[in-house]
PDB file of all heavy atoms in Angstrom:
ATOM      1  N   GLY A  33       5.277  16.785 -11.842  1.00 78.00           N
ATOM      2  CA  GLY A  33       4.866  15.309 -11.532  1.00 78.00           C
ATOM      3  C   GLY A  33       3.303  15.219 -11.520  1.00 78.00           C
ATOM      4  O   GLY A  33       2.624  16.181 -11.039  1.00 78.00           O
ATOM      5  N   MET A  39       1.323   6.507 -12.663  1.00 81.00           N
ATOM      6  CA  MET A  39       0.402   5.335 -12.918  1.00 81.00           C
ATOM      7  C   MET A  39       1.065   4.450 -14.148  1.00 81.00           C
ATOM      8  O   MET A  39       1.120   3.176 -13.996  1.00 81.00           O
ATOM      9  CB  MET A  39      -0.898   5.741 -13.283  1.00 81.00           C
ATOM     10  CG  MET A  39      -1.994   4.619 -13.753  1.00 81.00           C
ATOM     11  SD  MET A  39      -2.461   3.747 -12.268  1.00 81.00           S
ATOM     12  CE  MET A  39      -3.914   4.609 -11.800  1.00 81.00           C
ATOM     13  N   LEU A  40       1.561   5.094 -15.106  1.00 79.00           N
ATOM     14  CA  LEU A  40       2.020   4.458 -16.367  1.00 79.00           C
ATOM     15  C   LEU A  40       3.297   3.811 -16.233  1.00 79.00           C
ATOM     16  O   LEU A  40       3.854   2.934 -16.940  1.00 79.00           O
ATOM     17  CB  LEU A  40       1.949   5.441 -17.595  1.00 79.00           C
ATOM     18  CG  LEU A  40       0.557   5.793 -17.995  1.00 79.00           C
ATOM     19  CD1 LEU A  40       0.637   7.010 -18.937  1.00 79.00           C
ATOM     20  CD2 LEU A  40      -0.247   4.593 -18.540  1.00 79.00           C
ATOM     21  N   PRO A  42       7.911   4.106 -15.510  1.00 74.00           N
ATOM     22  CA  PRO A  42       8.951   4.873 -15.931  1.00 74.00           C
ATOM     23  C   PRO A  42       9.237   4.969 -17.416  1.00 74.00           C
ATOM     24  O   PRO A  42       9.845   5.782 -18.020  1.00 74.00           O
ATOM     25  CB  PRO A  42      10.233   4.263 -15.228  1.00 74.00           C
ATOM     26  CG  PRO A  42       9.671   2.890 -14.876  1.00 74.00           C
ATOM     27  CD  PRO A  42       8.206   2.965 -14.651  1.00 74.00           C
ATOM     28  N   GLU A  43       8.781   3.895 -18.199  1.00 74.00           N
ATOM     29  CA  GLU A  43       9.074   3.884 -19.686  1.00 74.00           C
ATOM     30  C   GLU A  43       7.998   4.356 -20.565  1.00 74.00           C
ATOM     31  O   GLU A  43       8.034   4.166 -21.692  1.00 74.00           O
ATOM     32  CB  GLU A  43       9.582   2.481 -19.997  1.00 74.00           C
ATOM     33  CG  GLU A  43      10.837   2.167 -19.243  1.00 74.00           C
ATOM     34  CD  GLU A  43      11.393   0.780 -19.388  1.00 74.00           C
ATOM     35  OE1 GLU A  43      11.301   0.129 -20.453  1.00 74.00           O
ATOM     36  OE2 GLU A  43      11.961   0.250 -18.385  1.00 74.00           O
ATOM     37  N   GLU A  48       1.497   9.244 -24.126  1.00 80.00           N
ATOM     38  CA  GLU A  48       0.677   8.269 -23.267  1.00 80.00           C
ATOM     39  C   GLU A  48       0.299   8.951 -22.090  1.00 80.00           C
ATOM     40  O   GLU A  48      -0.814   8.931 -21.629  1.00 80.00           O
ATOM     41  CB  GLU A  48       1.474   6.930 -23.043  1.00 80.00           C
ATOM     42  CG  GLU A  48       1.556   6.087 -24.231  1.00 80.00           C
ATOM     43  CD  GLU A  48       2.522   4.890 -24.088  1.00 80.00           C
ATOM     44  OE1 GLU A  48       3.232   4.978 -23.020  1.00 80.00           O
ATOM     45  OE2 GLU A  48       2.553   4.099 -24.995  1.00 80.00           O
ATOM     46  N   ASN A 264       6.239   0.868   9.119  1.00 87.00           N
ATOM     47  CA  ASN A 264       5.137   0.286   8.146  1.00 87.00           C
ATOM     48  C   ASN A 264       3.795   0.255   8.829  1.00 87.00           C
ATOM     49  O   ASN A 264       2.991  -0.754   8.686  1.00 87.00           O
ATOM     50  CB  ASN A 264       5.625  -1.032   7.700  1.00 87.00           C
ATOM     51  CG  ASN A 264       5.570  -1.126   6.152  1.00 87.00           C
ATOM     52  OD1 ASN A 264       5.976  -0.180   5.573  1.00 87.00           O
ATOM     53  ND2 ASN A 264       4.846  -2.135   5.762  1.00 87.00           N
ATOM     54  N   ARG A 270       1.344   7.875   6.743  1.00 88.00           N
ATOM     55  CA  ARG A 270       1.818   7.063   5.682  1.00 88.00           C
ATOM     56  C   ARG A 270       0.918   7.290   4.468  1.00 88.00           C
ATOM     57  O   ARG A 270       1.505   7.370   3.253  1.00 88.00           O
ATOM     58  CB  ARG A 270       1.865   5.682   6.028  1.00 88.00           C
ATOM     59  CG  ARG A 270       3.017   5.030   5.404  1.00 88.00           C
ATOM     60  CD  ARG A 270       3.475   3.670   5.934  1.00 88.00           C
ATOM     61  NE  ARG A 270       3.852   2.952   4.691  1.00 88.00           N
ATOM     62  CZ  ARG A 270       3.437   1.849   4.365  1.00 88.00           C
ATOM     63  NH1 ARG A 270       2.566   1.170   5.109  1.00 88.00           N
ATOM     64  NH2 ARG A 270       3.870   1.183   3.398  1.00 88.00           N
ATOM     65  N   ARG A 278       2.739  10.050  -5.138  1.00 84.00           N
ATOM     66  CA  ARG A 278       2.099   9.520  -6.330  1.00 84.00           C
ATOM     67  C   ARG A 278       1.204  10.688  -6.954  1.00 84.00           C
ATOM     68  O   ARG A 278       0.522  10.486  -7.919  1.00 84.00           O
ATOM     69  CB  ARG A 278       1.086   8.407  -6.028  1.00 84.00           C
ATOM     70  CG  ARG A 278       1.662   7.110  -5.699  1.00 84.00           C
ATOM     71  CD  ARG A 278       0.585   6.274  -5.189  1.00 84.00           C
ATOM     72  NE  ARG A 278       1.115   4.834  -5.156  1.00 84.00           N
ATOM     73  CZ  ARG A 278       0.332   3.914  -4.783  1.00 84.00           C
ATOM     74  NH1 ARG A 278      -1.026   4.017  -4.559  1.00 84.00           N
ATOM     75  NH2 ARG A 278       0.811   2.669  -4.814  1.00 84.00           N
ATOM     76  N   ARG A 279       1.201  11.736  -6.224  1.00 87.00           N
ATOM     77  CA  ARG A 279       0.247  12.999  -6.693  1.00 87.00           C
ATOM     78  C   ARG A 279      -1.077  12.533  -6.743  1.00 87.00           C
ATOM     79  O   ARG A 279      -1.886  12.821  -7.796  1.00 87.00           O
ATOM     80  CB  ARG A 279       0.780  13.474  -8.045  1.00 87.00           C
ATOM     81  CG  ARG A 279       2.302  13.702  -8.172  1.00 87.00           C
ATOM     82  CD  ARG A 279       2.756  14.945  -7.464  1.00 87.00           C
ATOM     83  NE  ARG A 279       4.025  15.452  -7.816  1.00 87.00           N
ATOM     84  CZ  ARG A 279       5.044  15.027  -7.097  1.00 87.00           C
ATOM     85  NH1 ARG A 279       5.032  14.274  -6.010  1.00 87.00           N
ATOM     86  NH2 ARG A 279       6.334  15.497  -7.437  1.00 87.00           N
ATOM     87  N   PHE A 308     -11.717  24.784  32.847  1.00 77.00           N
ATOM     88  CA  PHE A 308     -12.132  23.874  33.934  1.00 77.00           C
ATOM     89  C   PHE A 308     -10.884  23.799  34.960  1.00 77.00           C
ATOM     90  O   PHE A 308     -11.090  23.602  36.100  1.00 77.00           O
ATOM     91  CB  PHE A 308     -12.446  22.526  33.371  1.00 77.00           C
ATOM     92  CG  PHE A 308     -13.824  22.467  32.758  1.00 77.00           C
ATOM     93  CD1 PHE A 308     -14.029  22.607  31.351  1.00 77.00           C
ATOM     94  CD2 PHE A 308     -14.912  22.419  33.563  1.00 77.00           C
ATOM     95  CE1 PHE A 308     -15.254  22.499  30.784  1.00 77.00           C
ATOM     96  CE2 PHE A 308     -16.239  22.288  33.035  1.00 77.00           C
ATOM     97  CZ  PHE A 308     -16.404  22.444  31.678  1.00 77.00           C
TER      98      PHE A 308
ATOM     99  N   ARG B  10     -12.551  22.685  44.352  1.00 47.00           N
ATOM    100  CA  ARG B  10     -12.277  22.505  42.951  1.00 47.00           C
ATOM    101  C   ARG B  10     -10.875  21.914  42.754  1.00 47.00           C
ATOM    102  O   ARG B  10     -10.704  21.008  42.007  1.00 47.00           O
ATOM    103  CB  ARG B  10     -12.402  23.881  42.363  1.00 47.00           C
ATOM    104  CG  ARG B  10     -12.219  23.803  40.789  1.00 47.00           C
ATOM    105  CD  ARG B  10     -13.605  24.024  40.282  1.00 47.00           C
ATOM    106  NE  ARG B  10     -13.386  23.850  38.837  1.00 47.00           N
ATOM    107  CZ  ARG B  10     -13.878  24.737  37.959  1.00 47.00           C
ATOM    108  NH1 ARG B  10     -14.489  25.789  38.224  1.00 47.00           N
ATOM    109  NH2 ARG B  10     -13.722  24.428  36.579  1.00 47.00           N
ATOM    110  N   GLU B  65       4.147   0.066  -2.870  1.00 91.00           N
ATOM    111  CA  GLU B  65       2.697  -0.345  -3.251  1.00 91.00           C
ATOM    112  C   GLU B  65       2.620  -0.112  -4.700  1.00 91.00           C
ATOM    113  O   GLU B  65       3.076   0.829  -5.356  1.00 91.00           O
ATOM    114  CB  GLU B  65       1.752   0.566  -2.566  1.00 91.00           C
ATOM    115  CG  GLU B  65       0.386   0.076  -2.673  1.00 91.00           C
ATOM    116  CD  GLU B  65      -0.644   0.683  -1.666  1.00 91.00           C
ATOM    117  OE1 GLU B  65      -0.220   1.625  -0.926  1.00 91.00           O
ATOM    118  OE2 GLU B  65      -1.753   0.209  -1.538  1.00 91.00           O
ATOM    119  N   SER B  74      -0.500  -0.383 -16.566  1.00 86.00           N
ATOM    120  CA  SER B  74       0.852   0.185 -16.200  1.00 86.00           C
ATOM    121  C   SER B  74       2.029  -0.750 -16.591  1.00 86.00           C
ATOM    122  O   SER B  74       1.758  -2.006 -16.517  1.00 86.00           O
ATOM    123  CB  SER B  74       0.886   0.497 -14.789  1.00 86.00           C
ATOM    124  OG  SER B  74       2.133   1.043 -14.349  1.00 86.00           O
ATOM    125  N   THR B  75       3.137  -0.280 -16.993  1.00 84.00           N
ATOM    126  CA  THR B  75       4.255  -1.025 -17.280  1.00 84.00           C
ATOM    127  C   THR B  75       5.116  -1.229 -15.993  1.00 84.00           C
ATOM    128  O   THR B  75       6.167  -1.858 -16.106  1.00 84.00           O
ATOM    129  CB  THR B  75       5.119  -0.473 -18.385  1.00 84.00           C
ATOM    130  OG1 THR B  75       5.466   0.906 -17.974  1.00 84.00           O
ATOM    131  CG2 THR B  75       4.378  -0.419 -19.773  1.00 84.00           C
ATOM    132  N   SER B 150       1.038   0.578 -23.602  1.00 82.00           N
ATOM    133  CA  SER B 150       1.910   1.152 -24.707  1.00 82.00           C
ATOM    134  C   SER B 150       2.388  -0.077 -25.597  1.00 82.00           C
ATOM    135  O   SER B 150       2.422   0.172 -26.832  1.00 82.00           O
ATOM    136  CB  SER B 150       3.027   1.734 -23.984  1.00 82.00           C
ATOM    137  OG  SER B 150       3.359   1.163 -22.765  1.00 82.00           O
ATOM    138  N   ASN B 225      -1.669   0.698   1.676  1.00 87.00           N
ATOM    139  CA  ASN B 225      -0.564   0.904   2.470  1.00 87.00           C
ATOM    140  C   ASN B 225      -0.139  -0.249   3.446  1.00 87.00           C
ATOM    141  O   ASN B 225       0.656  -0.059   4.116  1.00 87.00           O
ATOM    142  CB  ASN B 225      -0.809   2.262   3.390  1.00 87.00           C
ATOM    143  CG  ASN B 225      -0.585   3.386   2.748  1.00 87.00           C
ATOM    144  OD1 ASN B 225       0.469   3.545   1.983  1.00 87.00           O
ATOM    145  ND2 ASN B 225      -1.418   4.333   2.758  1.00 87.00           N
ATOM    146  N   PHE B 261       3.834  -4.106   1.513  1.00 93.00           N
ATOM    147  CA  PHE B 261       4.662  -3.042   0.959  1.00 93.00           C
ATOM    148  C   PHE B 261       5.446  -2.304   2.130  1.00 93.00           C
ATOM    149  O   PHE B 261       4.849  -1.849   2.926  1.00 93.00           O
ATOM    150  CB  PHE B 261       3.800  -1.855   0.429  1.00 93.00           C
ATOM    151  CG  PHE B 261       2.445  -2.403  -0.175  1.00 93.00           C
ATOM    152  CD1 PHE B 261       1.235  -1.937   0.259  1.00 93.00           C
ATOM    153  CD2 PHE B 261       2.380  -3.454  -1.128  1.00 93.00           C
ATOM    154  CE1 PHE B 261       0.088  -2.377  -0.184  1.00 93.00           C
ATOM    155  CE2 PHE B 261       1.273  -3.904  -1.588  1.00 93.00           C
ATOM    156  CZ  PHE B 261       0.117  -3.454  -1.223  1.00 93.00           C
ATOM    157  N   GLU B 424      12.865  14.243  -6.770  1.00 87.00           N
ATOM    158  CA  GLU B 424      12.220  12.871  -6.624  1.00 87.00           C
ATOM    159  C   GLU B 424      11.859  12.331  -8.076  1.00 87.00           C
ATOM    160  O   GLU B 424      11.674  13.193  -9.027  1.00 87.00           O
ATOM    161  CB  GLU B 424      11.125  13.027  -5.681  1.00 87.00           C
ATOM    162  CG  GLU B 424      10.117  14.190  -6.057  1.00 87.00           C
ATOM    163  CD  GLU B 424       8.662  13.877  -5.431  1.00 87.00           C
ATOM    164  OE1 GLU B 424       8.367  12.878  -5.181  1.00 87.00           O
ATOM    165  OE2 GLU B 424       7.887  14.849  -5.657  1.00 87.00           O
ATOM    166  N   GLU B 430       7.925  13.997 -14.861  1.00 83.00           N
ATOM    167  CA  GLU B 430       7.065  15.173 -15.355  1.00 83.00           C
ATOM    168  C   GLU B 430       7.957  16.096 -16.223  1.00 83.00           C
ATOM    169  O   GLU B 430       7.611  16.445 -17.434  1.00 83.00           O
ATOM    170  CB  GLU B 430       6.505  15.993 -14.167  1.00 83.00           C
ATOM    171  CG  GLU B 430       6.028  17.357 -14.570  1.00 83.00           C
ATOM    172  CD  GLU B 430       4.560  17.313 -14.932  1.00 83.00           C
ATOM    173  OE1 GLU B 430       4.001  16.182 -14.978  1.00 83.00           O
ATOM    174  OE2 GLU B 430       3.985  18.344 -15.259  1.00 83.00           O
ATOM    175  N   ARG B 432      10.887  15.595 -17.680  1.00 91.00           N
ATOM    176  CA  ARG B 432      11.606  15.030 -18.828  1.00 91.00           C
ATOM    177  C   ARG B 432      10.738  15.129 -20.215  1.00 91.00           C
ATOM    178  O   ARG B 432      11.347  15.076 -21.289  1.00 91.00           O
ATOM    179  CB  ARG B 432      12.001  13.577 -18.614  1.00 91.00           C
ATOM    180  CG  ARG B 432      10.767  12.587 -18.713  1.00 91.00           C
ATOM    181  CD  ARG B 432      11.310  11.177 -18.388  1.00 91.00           C
ATOM    182  NE  ARG B 432      10.095  10.309 -18.555  1.00 91.00           N
ATOM    183  CZ  ARG B 432      10.125   8.964 -18.327  1.00 91.00           C
ATOM    184  NH1 ARG B 432      11.258   8.413 -17.750  1.00 91.00           N
ATOM    185  NH2 ARG B 432       9.058   8.318 -18.547  1.00 91.00           N
ATOM    186  N   ARG B 448      13.787  -6.486 -21.478  1.00 88.00           N
ATOM    187  CA  ARG B 448      12.716  -6.595 -22.556  1.00 88.00           C
ATOM    188  C   ARG B 448      13.013  -7.835 -23.304  1.00 88.00           C
ATOM    189  O   ARG B 448      14.206  -8.193 -23.539  1.00 88.00           O
ATOM    190  CB  ARG B 448      12.769  -5.361 -23.433  1.00 88.00           C
ATOM    191  CG  ARG B 448      12.215  -4.120 -22.759  1.00 88.00           C
ATOM    192  CD  ARG B 448      10.753  -4.199 -22.590  1.00 88.00           C
ATOM    193  NE  ARG B 448      10.078  -3.046 -21.983  1.00 88.00           N
ATOM    194  CZ  ARG B 448      10.038  -2.846 -20.607  1.00 88.00           C
ATOM    195  NH1 ARG B 448      10.472  -3.759 -19.783  1.00 88.00           N
ATOM    196  NH2 ARG B 448       9.402  -1.815 -20.156  1.00 88.00           N
TER     197      ARG B 448
END
Side-chain angles (χ1 to χ4, degrees):
Chain A
M39 179 72 92
L40 291 170
E43 292 173 38
E48 285 165 357
N264 228 47
R270 212 166 146 232
R278 292 173 165 182
R279 309 287 192 267
F308 283 104
Chain B
R10 182 107 188 231
E65 185 162 12
S74 177
T75 51
S150 27
N225 277 316
F261 329 126
E424 49 153 351
E430 167 86 1
R432 72 180 185 189
R448 287 289 179 271

